[in-house]
Amino acid sequence: MNEMKKVAVIGTGVIGNGWIARFLGQGCDVIAFDPAEGAEEKTRQVVKSVWSSLEKLGLAADASMDRLTFVSTIEEAVQDADLIQENVPERVDVKKSVLTSIDQYAKPDAIIGSSTSGIMATTLQEGLQYPGRVIVAHPFNPVYILPLVELVGGEATTAQIIEQAKSYYKSVQMKPLVINKEIEGHVADRLMEALWREALHLVNDGVATTEEIDAAIIYGAGLRWAQMGPFLTFHLAGGEQGMRHMLEQFGPALKLPWTKLEAPELTDELKEKVIEGCESHAGDVTISELESKRNEFLVKLLDLVEDYWPESNV
């Protein structure tokens, strides 16, 4: 039984709709607000299209697409919500304006989670009536399948609020990762951006194509990371002595000029290399078809991950 049953979702783009699908699949009542024309129709279409993935993952007994309601104001959306998920564009001024409205109308004890991928919670809390209950709750696309959510409190946030938020997100089958120190980009995105910068350099310098770089991850590092992540992967690379030997043997390589610490300039030439490479790689397969294949794969992969790490600390 969920501890939290009424959720408000503010902003129904890709991430907002992903949250809505997950919440509905876990038996929540969802009140949504988005002023964009056609937002409700698009959201209902998205939920319907991904429902089969949710069924494979396992729906709550009381899950229903009919538990979604769209309203015309932020006040209507948040006034009775236990958890409010904000997903507006990644601009500080826009987010702070929307959060000010949410803070004004939400119950004092409601948790407000921002899906921001890079803005720090303390920045979002500035000037609010109840600043401590505004936290970063950053998910990963597709939210209705991938369970990780990074939780970061700000200067006004108490441990009790983080624990309550952690409990809420666990109740909808998320894996909350509590980050105790604020930093731009949090944790997972900073790791992904480091790989992305290196990939762009390799394409820009003519070392590898977009397809070759994807293959290097798919058939190499990516397979290992899905099970163990980078640290345990390198722990195994050290043989019987594990990480101790690995650092002794390969540690000096960290000083070799392999990595590019700064992103390459995103010139028109580099943009076209990346765009043409991706379009060529995808071929005649549409974005919708790619998404369906991705979802089917991730559902199967998650089952495998749970088989090997059923007692994960996250």
Side-chain angles (χ1 to χ4, degrees):
M1 187 75 171
N2 292 346
E3 297 180 38
M4 165 267 307
K5 278 293 184 181
K6 186 163 284 189
V7 185
V9 175
I10 309 301
T12 59
V14 172
I15 298 301
N17 284 334
W19 276 118
I20 287 171
R22 175 174 285 274
F23 290 138
L24 291 174
Q26 291 301 314
C28 298
D29 289 315
V30 181
I31 313 298
F33 169 77
D34 192 315
E37 186 176 348
E40 179 174 359
E41 180 181 1
K42 184 176 180 180
T43 293
R44 293 191 184 280
Q45 184 178 3
V46 168
V47 171
K48 185 177 180 180
S49 69
V50 305
W51 201 254
S52 62
S53 294
L54 293 169
E55 288 175 329
K56 291 172 185 174
L57 287 170
L59 294 172
D62 48 357
S64 172
M65 288 184 274
D66 296 331
R67 298 183 74 164
L68 170 63
T69 303
F70 263 77
V71 294
S72 57
T73 66
I74 287 179
E75 179 179 3
E76 291 177 273
V78 306
Q79 59 188 357
D80 295 322
D82 301 306
L83 175 70
I84 300 151
Q85 193 72 36
E86 170 272 306
N87 317 280
V88 301
E90 196 75 354
R91 285 175 42 195
V92 173
D93 59 334
V94 174
K95 284 191 178 290
K96 291 186 76 169
S97 174
V98 170
L99 287 169
T100 297
S101 294
I102 294 173
D103 184 52
Q104 178 182 355
Y105 297 118
K107 298 185 298 184
D109 60 345
I111 299 291
I112 304 171
S114 175
S115 295
T116 178
S117 59
I119 304 169
M120 294 193 289
T122 294
T123 300
L124 299 176
Q125 293 177 348
E126 293 170 355
L128 297 181
Q129 184 179 201
Y130 302 103
R133 43 86 169 269
V134 174
I135 64 170
V136 168
H138 174 229
F140 296 83
N141 186 44
V143 185
Y144 49 88
I145 296 178
L146 296 183
L148 183 64
V149 57
E150 295 178 317
L151 301 183
V152 197
E155 290 180 0
T157 306
T158 64
Q160 181 180 357
I161 288 173
I162 289 294
E163 281 303 310
Q164 184 180 354
K166 185 177 177 181
S167 177
Y168 277 175
Y169 288 106
K170 276 189 172 183
S171 76
V172 291
Q173 304 304 307
M174 298 293 283
K175 299 278 189 182
L177 175 62
V178 176
I179 300 171
N180 294 313
K181 185 174 182 179
E182 290 187 273
I183 186 172
E184 293 91 343
H186 322 312
V187 171
D189 271 4
R190 292 180 72 96
L191 295 171
M192 290 189 291
E193 284 293 330
L195 180 60
W196 176 234
R197 287 194 295 271
E198 291 298 313
L200 288 177
H201 275 294
L202 293 172
V203 171
N204 193 51
D205 297 343
V207 176
T209 66
T210 58
E211 185 172 4
E212 289 166 345
I213 290 169
D214 280 356
I217 297 299
I218 292 168
Y219 299 112
L223 288 173
R224 299 186 302 193
W225 290 342
Q227 184 191 10
M228 292 188 175
F231 280 103
L232 277 187
T233 293
F234 283 136
H235 185 55
L236 292 184
E240 290 299 319
Q241 292 183 323
M243 183 62 80
R244 185 175 300 279
H245 179 65
M246 185 272 174
L247 291 176
E248 291 173 357
Q249 183 171 356
F250 299 107
L254 293 173
K255 293 187 177 181
L256 295 178
W258 287 357
T259 61
K260 307 282 190 178
L261 297 180
E262 296 182 0
E265 183 180 350
L266 201 57
T267 62
D268 290 340
E269 181 182 4
L270 177 53
K271 287 180 184 177
E272 287 306 311
K273 280 185 178 180
V274 172
I275 293 167
E276 290 174 8
C278 291
E279 290 177 346
S280 174
H281 187 184
D284 295 329
V285 183
T286 67
I287 294 294
S288 178
E289 290 169 335
L290 284 173
E291 286 178 341
S292 294
K293 285 187 173 186
R294 176 202 65 190
N295 291 354
E296 183 178 349
F297 173 82
L298 288 175
V299 168
K300 292 179 179 179
L301 183 60
L302 267 179
D303 285 340
L304 191 59
V305 170
E306 290 296 329
D307 283 346
Y308 281 83
W309 295 104
E311 303 300 327
S312 171
N313 290 327
V314 176

